[in-house]
Amino acid sequence: MLRSMLEAFKNLFKPVRTIQYPAEDIVLPNGYRGLIEYGIDECIFCDKCEKVCPPGAILFYQHEGGEKEYRYNPWLCIYCGECVRACPKPEEALWQSETKQRSAVKEDGANEGWFVYEDACKKSRQRYVEAKKADKIQNKSEE
């Protein structure tokens, strides 16, 4: 107890180490891993980023015509960078920007819409696979 009181007393005379945010801007350290940025023109839609994402913050929606739609949830992302490492075109199709992460302000229903979208993505892929199988069967029967 005496030891902790002595430590508390010493801390009274040490300089303050906190940042006076928002009056002072926060300086980001080298190697800062910020928000995930996506380049739709460079993406080859290999789905590697979706497969390696630990929390499942990246999803691809499969449209009927075969094209895919990229979707990213920054509130679910843990900014680990696995998606960028797995990307065959890093710095072109997928990269981590030095943009500051969004604040942890609670938004009503922020993830509820994401879970609905997650189910829609799974169902879209199932429909796409079933449609491909049906086309294959139809092509064989026509021959």
Side-chain angles (χ1 to χ4, degrees), residues 62-68 128 132:
Q62 184 77 49
H63 291 283
E64 296 290 327
E67 62 274 356
K68 293 181 182 179
Y128 183 74
K132 282 290 193 183

Side-chain angles (χ1 to χ4, degrees), residues 80-99:
C80 63
E82 285 301 314
C83 55
V84 176
R85 283 190 277 280
C87 182
K89 291 181 140 190
E91 303 300 324
E92 295 174 18
L94 201 63
W95 65 93
Q96 284 187 287
S97 72
E98 293 189 8
T99 307

Side-chain angles (χ1 to χ4, degrees), residues 36-52:
I36 304 296
E37 298 287 333
Y38 172 70
I40 190 167
D41 296 331
E42 299 297 326
C43 184
I44 59 173
F45 300 100
C46 64
D47 298 346
K48 288 182 180 181
C49 56
E50 179 184 30
K51 291 174 186 169
V52 300

Side-chain angles (χ1 to χ4, degrees), residues 73-76 102-112 115:
N73 185 348
W75 286 278
L76 196 57
R102 296 181 180 172
S103 64
V105 176
K106 182 177 179 188
E107 289 186 18
D108 291 336
N111 282 330
E112 289 173 14
F115 297 135

